[in-house]
Amino acid sequence: MKICVVGTGTMGGGIVQTIAQAGIEIWMKGRSQASIDRAVNKIESGLKRLVDREKITEDKKDEIVSKIHTTLSFDDIKDSDLIIEAIAEDIELKKETLRQLDEICKPESIFATNTSSFSITELSMVTNRPEMVIGMHFFNPVPIMKLVEVIKGQHTNENVYNVVLNLTEEIGKTAVTVNESPGFVVNRLLIPMINEGIATLADGAATKEEIDTAMKLGASHPMGPLALADLIGLDVCLAIMEVLHNEFGDDKYRPHPLMRKMVRAKLLGRKTGKGFYDYNR
Ligand code: CAA
């Protein structure tokens, strides 16, 4: 199978690394050489950490990196059997990319979208092959997190589902099958918890450190909700809350105003260097 990831951000790079680590050749399509270089450098430094911890050898690291092929051109990926779309969480951008892929790719190409919350059915309907479109939702940090939510849209074909299920297993992840519904499973539970963490902070109930420590030690979460918001990105959290709010029409999913204010101020978390915590220090 020729597999390609479209997108060079945190998720795109993480998916590329994970597939290459499984010994599978992988293409990464970016919009600029600078974004590709940034993604490859991040993958290399992630792998270097594994070398330093004696988890893999230097030769193994080189072998993994050699599996990664990069391109700026759609032309190089039009013969892909599977394309994993991992661009920004913006529905119009995703639709535009899927339309473009639909035009140039061979009819048998499967399109898997790594959307965190948009409707797979809605995305699939901009193509002439809705039965070939599926959700493949990875979690951040991708090389470490074991889960992939495999989401069936209204038209997703059973064969496409099986191909994606097999690949998920081959790259060492566990798949959970989800029938499309807003937020799928994880984000429907996780992001409202983060929203409530933000409300708890805004109410002055406790400091950010205390809220995070409380959830780490009181609920055995690996990190607290505010640190997790910074990891995911406040913009992504807001986009997911808005999907839940709009789709269910239930005010229990109302994004907290502090979340909106921080997104407007570009305090998005790790990706901008500052969110609830300061990463520049
Ligand atoms: N590549 C491959 N492996 C790596 C790596 C990399 N770049 N970096 C670290 N690792 C490995 C390490 O070698 C280590 O392996 P061992 O346990 O075998 O030694 C392991 O990963 C853990 O690494 P660290 O010790 O550096 O990390 P940690 O123990 O401090 O945990 C964390 C960090 C994994 C982020 C943890 O805090 C955690 O699980 N946090 C919660 C993350 C979470 O909930 N993510 C989901 C977000 S929601 C989402 O993504 C979906 C969405 O749509 C919004």
Side-chain angles (χ1 to χ4, degrees):
M1 272 221 304
K2 177 168 174 179
I3 308 177
C4 174
V5 172
V6 177
T8 53
T10 307
M11 298 307 286
I15 298 167
V16 166
Q17 178 184 331
T18 302
I19 295 175
Q21 271 184 259
I24 301 171
E25 302 280 331
I26 179 77
W27 285 76
M28 175 164 61
K29 151 87 178 70
R31 279 195 301 185
S32 70
Q33 194 54 48
S35 67
I36 289 179
D37 292 346
R38 238 187 339 264
V40 172
N41 283 341
K42 199 167 166 218
I43 292 171
E44 287 191 2
S45 54
L47 294 173
K48 188 172 173 305
R49 267 178 69 185
L50 296 184
V51 174
D52 293 344
R53 291 178 179 212
E54 297 180 353
K55 295 265 157 109
I56 57 170
T57 62
E58 190 72 40
D59 285 352
K60 184 71 189 168
K61 169 178 169 276
D62 295 342
E63 191 191 315
I64 294 168
V65 173
S66 75
K67 301 274 178 207
I68 302 172
H69 312 279
T70 63
T71 180
L72 291 169
S73 160
F74 275 112
D75 221 41
D76 285 335
I77 62 166
K78 64 183 180 195
D79 58 344
S80 300
D81 299 292
L82 172 67
I83 296 199
I84 303 174
E85 170 279 304
I87 64 168
E89 192 66 5
D90 172 322
I91 195 151
E92 291 313 321
L93 264 183
K94 285 194 187 285
K95 284 183 178 174
E96 190 44 45
T97 302
L98 286 169
R99 267 189 217 107
Q100 255 176 310
L101 290 170
D102 190 40
E103 251 172 52
I104 58 133
C105 289
K106 61 181 182 180
E108 315 84 73
S109 302
I110 296 173
F111 300 158
T113 168
N114 179 53
T115 179
S116 4
S117 61
F118 296 138
S119 159
I120 308 304
T121 307
E122 183 176 347
L123 291 172
S124 75
M125 294 306 282
V126 304
T127 72
N128 291 307
R129 60 180 93 191
E131 70 288 353
M132 305 297 281
V133 180
I134 191 164
M136 200 175 181
H137 185 213
F138 289 84
F139 293 82
N140 185 13
V142 181
I144 305 173
M145 303 299 284
K146 287 279 172 222
L147 181 69
V148 176
E149 287 180 314
V150 177
I151 306 121
K152 291 177 173 177
Q154 192 64 33
H155 298 291
T156 308
N157 163 318
E158 208 53 24
N159 183 44
V160 166
Y161 166 69
N162 285 325
V163 169
V164 166
L165 217 53
N166 288 339
L167 175 70
T168 302
E169 198 175 296
E170 211 180 320
I171 61 175
K173 303 290 187 199
T174 299
V176 164
T177 303
V178 188
N179 294 316
E180 179 186 302
S181 70
F184 316 135
V185 171
V186 173
N187 285 340
R188 182 172 174 174
L189 300 172
L190 187 65
I191 308 298
M193 183 201 67
I194 288 174
N195 198 44
E196 202 55 34
I198 295 173
T200 310
L201 178 71
D203 287 350
T207 64
K208 58 180 187 281
E209 291 85 0
E210 284 165 332
I211 292 168
D212 280 346
T213 301
M215 290 306 284
K216 272 164 62 179
L217 303 185
S220 270
H221 288 193
M223 62 206 300
L226 303 174
L228 185 55
D230 280 355
L231 176 74
I232 294 171
L234 274 283
D235 53 339
V236 175
C237 293
L238 178 59
I240 297 168
M241 283 310 291
E242 279 175 338
V243 167
L244 293 171
H245 197 202
N246 292 337
E247 293 275 326
F248 288 117
D250 188 332
D251 279 345
K252 77 177 176 184
Y253 297 114
R254 182 186 67 115
H256 193 278
L258 177 57
M259 188 191 270
R260 281 193 195 285
K261 191 159 78 175
M262 290 184 66
V263 171
R264 287 190 183 119
K266 297 255 182 305
L267 296 169
L268 305 182
R270 293 190 191 203
K271 66 173 109 174
T272 55
K274 203 168 175 195
F276 291 103
Y277 296 91
D278 190 344
Y279 300 90
N280 295 313
R281 273 186 278 149

